[in-house]
Amino acid sequence: MTPSSSNSSPKTFYFVGVTTGQSSIQRIFPRWMEVLQRTDVTLQGVDFPLHADPARYRALVQHIKHDANGIGGLVTSHKIDLYNAAHDLFDELDPYARLCAELSSIAKRDGRLVGHAIDPIAMGQALNMILGDRYFGRTGGEVLCLGAGGAATAIALHLINQTAAADRPQRFTLVDIAAERLAHAQRMVAQMVTDIAFNYLHHDQAASNDALVARLPAGSVIINATGMGKDRPGSPVTDGVNFPQAATVWELNYRGTLTFLHQALAQRNAQQLIVSDGWVAFLYGWTGVIAQVLDLPIDDDLFAQMAHVAAEHR
């Protein structure tokens, strides 16, 4: 790579979220740009409330599209809403973006605005690190995903696409408080050929989620994809939840109160749980988008270097 010139005009990488100023990326991003020799690129956070007015998403996409110094950016928490509001403003959308109806990466290519859905790859890479090969064949576990937004559909798509039957669960249950998110997930799954039995449950009761967890077989995977514990307080389960023996509990958040994570950690030894937070998914998600926006491949060695730098500034 050729180091960026100190005389280069500064470039803006937009970060669209809810509380972007609290993210570790504020400390990590400048260090990553040093590693990538792109110190001309700076991070600019854009905070929207959850499910903001569609006009705000459209205005932001228009701004990025026409900002001469804006090179693109990453979208979190608003991936589906931004797609619904502004996908027609893009010149090109990748197949995952169209299938999942979500956008996590905004990039520019020769004056064209290009959108990508990075999560199916990033979430899959993170989940593979947590579970290892043939997890469902070894355990017979199911998947219970609390929350049916973009991260949940990305995980579902990743598992559907696993070629080995032992890497696919027999059953995948999605739970959400919003019927439209469940309908969105169901539409996506309906376009795929899969032997996984999908269930879609619409309720907002933590006690009902406790009951779902209690009925899971040993070795199941329970995921908090609700945003609770980061974007809003609380947990999708109560403190009385009883995780199944040898289950894997994945908290997709890596910052915030992380109530769900602490509930799992409290039972880790007694139930022999594997408990993970969202840090690895955070790394894969960000590096995947950076690779698209900067049009720069990030191989395993470079990823390892960036992960090391990130850990120092987490």
Side-chain angles (χ1 to χ4, degrees), residues 156-240:
L157 182 58
H158 166 74
L159 291 173
I160 288 171
N161 286 335
Q162 295 304 290
T163 55
D167 287 324
R168 300 191 302 269
Q170 292 187 356
R171 185 179 300 274
F172 190 121
T173 300
L174 289 136
V175 181
D176 206 284
I177 63 174
E180 63 270 20
R181 286 198 289 270
L182 289 164
H184 167 81
Q186 190 166 12
R187 286 193 298 270
M188 186 205 75
V189 171
Q191 298 178 60
M192 311 294 291
V193 176
T194 182
D195 57 357
I196 302 172
F198 279 87
N199 297 320
Y200 308 90
L201 302 177
H202 177 217
H203 65 252
D204 61 357
Q205 299 298 315
S208 297
N209 291 333
D210 288 359
L212 291 172
V213 172
R215 289 197 292 267
L216 291 170
S220 289
V221 179
I222 304 102
I223 304 167
N224 176 25
T226 65
M228 296 183 74
K230 179 177 79 74
D231 293 334
R232 59 187 189 275
S235 167
V237 297
T238 76
D239 286 341

Side-chain angles (χ1 to χ4, degrees), residues 1-312:
M1 291 180 290
T2 302
S4 59
S5 169
S6 59
N7 295 322
S8 298
S9 59
K11 306 299 182 184
T12 303
F13 185 112
Y14 291 91
F15 170 25
V16 187
V18 178
T19 54
T20 59
Q22 298 176 26
S23 174
S24 298
I25 200 64
Q26 299 290 347
R27 300 183 296 277
I28 295 167
F29 191 87
R31 307 289 83 78
W32 277 353
M33 292 305 103
E34 292 173 1
V35 171
L36 299 176
Q37 300 183 40
R38 287 300 307 269
T39 55
D40 58 316
V41 179
T42 59
L43 188 70
Q44 180 173 321
V46 179
D47 288 351
F48 287 154
L50 293 173
H51 313 305
D53 184 337
R56 298 183 67 181
Y57 295 121
R58 291 186 66 83
L60 174 65
V61 172
Q62 290 277 24
H63 174 78
I64 295 173
K65 188 172 187 176
H66 298 294
D67 179 5
N69 292 322
I71 58 173
L74 177 143
V75 182
T76 184
S77 302
H78 305 284
K79 294 184 284 287
I80 293 174
D81 289 327
L82 188 142
Y83 179 95
N84 289 337
H87 67 273
D88 60 301
L89 301 177
F90 287 78
D91 300 296
E92 181 182 339
L93 296 169
D94 84 324
Y96 277 149
R98 293 187 180 280
L99 177 62
C100 300
E102 67 174 60
L103 283 162
S104 52
S105 169
I106 302 172
K108 292 182 177 180
R109 295 286 186 275
D110 300 321
R112 293 166 55 82
L113 196 67
V114 182
H116 292 85
I118 299 296
D119 279 2
I121 298 171
M123 288 293 177
Q125 290 169 317
L127 188 59
N128 286 344
M129 286 190 66
I130 295 168
L131 300 183
D133 292 336
R134 309 298 191 263
Y135 178 87
F136 297 103
R138 288 185 279 110
T139 68
E142 301 178 6
V143 175
L144 172 62
C145 190
L146 304 171
T153 55
I155 293 166
L157 182 58
H158 166 74
L159 291 173
I160 288 171
N161 286 335
Q162 295 304 290
T163 55
D167 287 324
R168 300 191 302 269
Q170 292 187 356
R171 185 179 300 274
F172 190 121
T173 300
L174 289 136
V175 181
D176 206 284
I177 63 174
E180 63 270 20
R181 286 198 289 270
L182 289 164
H184 167 81
Q186 190 166 12
R187 286 193 298 270
M188 186 205 75
V189 171
Q191 298 178 60
M192 311 294 291
V193 176
T194 182
D195 57 357
I196 302 172
F198 279 87
N199 297 320
Y200 308 90
L201 302 177
H202 177 217
H203 65 252
D204 61 357
Q205 299 298 315
S208 297
N209 291 333
D210 288 359
L212 291 172
V213 172
R215 289 197 292 267
L216 291 170
S220 289
V221 179
I222 304 102
I223 304 167
N224 176 25
T226 65
M228 296 183 74
K230 179 177 79 74
D231 293 334
R232 59 187 189 275
S235 167
V237 297
T238 76
D239 286 341
V241 67
N242 184 28
F243 291 105
Q245 190 75 15
T248 294
V249 184
W250 192 15
E251 163 65 87
L252 293 191
N253 300 318
Y254 77 93
R255 64 180 174 90
T257 58
L258 304 178
T259 306
F260 180 82
L261 180 72
H262 295 301
Q263 289 169 326
L265 289 173
Q267 299 181 34
R268 180 168 58 183
N269 292 337
Q271 297 295 91
Q272 297 181 307
L273 305 178
I274 298 171
V275 182
S276 296
D277 67 6
W279 180 249
V280 174
F282 165 86
L283 294 177
Y284 277 118
W286 268 97
T287 55
V289 173
I290 287 171
Q292 290 293 341
V293 174
L294 299 186
D295 196 15
L296 173 68
I298 296 177
D299 60 20
D300 290 345
D301 289 341
L302 190 52
F303 176 84
Q305 186 178 356
M306 295 173 74
H308 177 74
V309 169
E312 293 179 333

